Amino acid sequence: MTATDAKKWFRVHRRATDPRLRLVCFPHAGGTAQLFHGWPALLPADIEVLAVRYPGRQDRLAEPCIEDMATLADTIEDALRPWLDRPLALFGHSMGACVAYEVARRLEARGIVPDHLLVSAHEAPRWAERVALHDADDDTLITHVRHLGDLHSEAYDIPELRDLLLPALRSDYRLIEGYHPPNPAPVKAPITAYVGQDDPSCALEGVLAWSGLAAPGSFELCPFPGDHFYLVDREAEVVTDVAARLARAGGAGQA
């Protein structure tokens, strides 16, 4: 992958010329890097934010979506190579939690251990219920998304926006609903699992199952009031907690 190709995968927010750490943020199904646009101002200036830009939306609208987890994780891990000169931490929300986990696995296979893996609003791999919403009609899919929480769902009421948004949403659901690793491997990075206390998509037992993928003593659960999109209403509190955890990160670096 060329440097130009790699850059299109991330929206980079830099407040320091020599960052201590890079936080890579992975959006949810149908989501965009815009979810994290407020984070850089709330984090210490020595943390650089790379918000992942999935294809098939916004300024990558003309590019085909990726509907296979292995392909997506491989591609993002490859795109990260120009940014591996600083320690990394990974934060993934909903579908992004699983993408972040798979990218962490790939980085560790190359000898690079993220300082922290922060997973949000998703159960651990193998725990998610097997459903096929990606095959449902448009109204059923939209109803499901609205059931999770009201994050810009009014856009689906505008025909022009609905036609632009639905293909990426459906493709992302096809990806995450087809993701069923038979034997998820543990990672060396500490794991923190965030969850909205009223999130209808996450059973607490499934969220706690992330502990089985962390080294002994390196897992924490962090619940917040709210639904699937708790991190929007509680953004300042969530980012403050993330910053505190990254301040304690030890710079694991090489495996």
Side-chain angles (χ1 to χ4, degrees):
M1 182 179 294
T2 67
T4 300
D5 289 337
K7 287 180 180 178
K8 72 181 180 181
W9 276 92
F10 307 103
R11 182 170 296 164
V12 182
H13 301 275
R14 180 179 296 113
R15 295 173 62 202
T17 57
D18 186 24
R20 174 183 66 86
L21 180 143
R22 292 189 169 103
L23 175 63
V24 187
C25 297
F26 300 75
H28 53 286
T32 70
Q34 186 70 12
L35 180 69
F36 303 102
H37 79 281
W39 285 40
L42 298 171
L43 287 165
D46 61 354
I47 296 179
E48 184 174 273
V49 176
L50 276 63
V52 176
R53 299 164 63 213
Y54 302 135
R57 63 215 77 192
Q58 293 190 320
D59 49 359
R60 300 188 68 186
L61 186 63
E63 300 178 48
C65 296
I66 295 176
E67 299 182 345
D68 172 73
M69 177 65 81
T71 301
L72 182 61
D74 285 345
T75 306
I76 294 174
E77 186 269 336
D78 190 34
L80 274 173
R81 296 190 184 198
W83 284 277
L84 295 181
D85 61 327
R86 295 290 186 277
L88 296 178
L90 311 180
F91 181 101
H93 180 66
S94 194
M95 178 189 83
C98 294
V99 183
Y101 160 72
E102 288 293 338
V103 171
R105 287 186 54 220
R106 284 155 173 78
L107 289 169
E108 291 191 1
R110 296 183 57 230
I112 299 168
V113 179
D115 275 27
H116 215 110
L117 173 60
L118 306 127
V119 294
S120 167
H122 205 283
E123 298 170 342
R126 293 185 62 191
W127 275 84
E129 181 183 359
R130 288 180 180 266
V131 292
L133 284 164
H134 66 274
D135 286 331
D137 61 77
D138 292 350
D139 288 340
T140 299
L141 183 56
I142 291 170
T143 297
H144 169 77
V145 171
R146 284 180 163 151
H147 178 63
L148 296 178
D150 187 22
L151 180 67
H152 310 312
S153 63
E154 68 278 3
Y156 293 112
D157 296 325
I158 303 171
E160 295 82 359
L161 291 178
R162 178 183 174 122
D163 291 344
L164 285 175
L165 298 173
L166 270 175
L169 178 66
R170 190 176 296 279
S171 290
D172 287 353
Y173 266 76
R174 183 172 289 111
L175 181 149
I176 197 61
E177 289 177 352
Y179 174 64
H180 296 288
N183 295 296
V187 294
K188 297 177 181 178
I191 297 178
T192 296
Y194 294 89
V195 65
Q197 292 169 330
D198 299 316
D199 187 343
S201 73
C202 292
L204 182 59
E205 186 178 13
V207 177
L208 287 171
W210 283 104
S211 63
L213 299 178
S218 65
F219 170 81
E220 288 189 70
L221 176 70
C222 188
F224 278 91
D227 58 24
H228 192 67
F229 296 109
Y230 71 92
L231 75 174
V232 176
D233 291 337
R234 301 276 177 171
E235 182 176 68
E237 297 167 62
V238 172
V239 178
T240 295
D241 188 87
V242 169
R245 294 178 191 279
L246 298 184
R248 300 196 298 267
Q254 303 300 310

